[in-house]
Amino acid sequence: MNLYEILKRLESVYRPNKDEYIVLHMISKDNQVNHFEILIGIVLSQNTSDRNAMRALNNLRRDLGGIIEPERVLRTPVETIINAIKVAGIAKRRAETIYELAKWFKSDEGIVNKLHMLDVDEARKILMQIRGVGPKTADVYLLAVLRKPTFPIDTHIKRVLTRIGLALENEGYESIRKKIVSETHNDVDILMKLHILLIEHGRRVCKARKPLCNECVLRDLCSYYKKADAGK
């Protein structure tokens, strides 16, 4: 199955709003990218809505005096951090990760430049050594911010790829990630578009329950639809 055909069809129907994706919102708001703040935003967005993550981030900015910096985080009581980000859920665990990120950035102010210079696999290893930073968090940051060829996979993406037959039901994150990166020939622009558009499609049409197959531009390519249609 041709990923480029899938991308072409999704592009024909979706116009993603950057404000609905926390990382797109943060990297498009100005020319000064605060890498520490963006990583925190990505951490806050895991397993919750981007809207809740943005509310938590704004609360944290407010309680830290308007800007999120490692020094300010490390000077702030943990309860203040937890209360600020509570709207995003699992606040205690996220607060621990935020402190770990603050320590990491504080210990090496040139870490972002070092990550820029590394290949994607080495950069991923370094990021995932930080407690609370998993593969998806690392991949979102590396793809969207550092523009490295990787592919973050969330529940929407996994569901869509499985239904159309590009991933197996029990296939692991790493296997799918490597497959998509390989089939798009490490093209960062394509990977970024595909990441966002597959999420859009999963949210709007290819829903976990009661997918809107009759509205789907991929249904003639979709194994799930063919099986469902055959069973009628």
Side-chain angles (χ1 to χ4, degrees):
M1 189 179 298
N2 191 327
L3 274 174
Y4 293 93
E5 174 63 21
I6 290 169
L7 179 60
K8 179 182 175 183
R9 293 191 189 190
L10 294 178
E11 282 186 307
S12 72
V13 293
Y14 298 121
R15 297 291 180 272
N17 181 349
K18 290 182 179 180
D19 290 337
E20 293 179 2
Y21 294 87
I22 190 167
V23 70
L24 295 184
H25 172 80
M26 294 178 79
I27 63 177
S28 66
K29 66 177 181 175
D30 54 45
N31 293 322
Q32 295 297 113
V33 175
N34 181 335
H35 289 262
F36 177 62
E37 186 175 88
I38 287 175
L39 264 169
I40 288 176
I42 296 169
V43 167
L44 292 173
S45 71
Q46 303 304 312
N47 302 310
T48 191
S49 69
D50 284 79
R51 181 177 298 177
N52 284 342
M54 202 69 231
R55 288 172 63 194
L57 190 71
N58 286 332
N59 289 345
L60 191 57
R61 284 182 183 141
R62 177 199 65 206
D63 291 352
L64 293 178
I67 186 169
I68 302 174
E69 293 178 333
E71 298 84 353
R72 297 190 185 196
V73 167
L74 295 172
R75 291 198 307 263
T76 303
V78 66
E79 285 304 319
T80 299
I81 303 290
I82 290 172
N83 287 332
I85 65 175
K86 194 173 290 184
V87 67
I90 51 175
K92 187 174 183 295
R93 190 188 312 169
R94 294 190 205 271
E96 291 172 356
T97 303
I98 289 169
Y99 273 101
E100 290 297 318
L101 283 168
K103 292 174 188 175
W104 185 61
F105 270 80
K106 184 70 174 172
S107 69
D108 188 348
E109 294 182 359
I111 190 61
V112 171
N113 288 332
K114 290 179 182 177
L115 291 175
H116 263 298
M117 295 168 62
L118 294 172
D119 67 34
V120 66
D121 291 332
E122 287 300 316
R124 288 180 93 237
K125 285 178 185 176
I126 289 174
L127 284 167
M128 288 191 292
Q129 287 173 358
I130 303 165
R131 187 173 62 184
V133 174
K136 187 193 164 192
T137 298
D139 287 331
V140 170
Y141 175 71
L142 291 171
L143 176 62
V145 185
L146 296 192
R147 305 278 298 164
K148 290 184 179 292
T150 189
F151 191 69
I153 302 161
D154 74 349
T155 54
H156 295 295
I157 292 174
K158 175 68 183 296
R159 181 171 66 252
V160 175
L161 291 179
T162 301
R163 283 177 173 171
I164 62 179
L166 282 173
L168 301 174
E169 190 71 44
N170 60 350
E171 191 169 359
Y173 183 103
E174 281 302 294
S175 174
I176 300 171
R177 182 186 73 87
K178 290 177 180 178
K179 181 192 302 180
I180 300 300
V181 171
S182 174
E183 292 188 11
T184 54
H185 307 289
N186 288 8
D187 189 316
V188 170
D189 289 329
I190 296 296
L191 287 163
M192 191 65 206
K193 288 178 183 178
L194 196 59
H195 171 71
I196 297 298
L197 290 170
L198 285 172
I199 293 173
E200 286 277 312
H201 191 60
R203 286 176 176 176
R204 298 191 190 189
V205 172
C206 195
K207 301 178 182 184
R209 296 183 178 181
K210 297 183 179 179
L212 308 177
C213 294
N214 289 334
E215 298 178 21
C216 180
V217 293
L218 305 177
R219 65 178 177 268
D220 61 311
L221 306 175
C222 180
S223 301
Y224 177 90
Y225 175 74
K226 289 174 182 175
K227 289 178 183 177
D229 192 49
K232 288 180 180 178

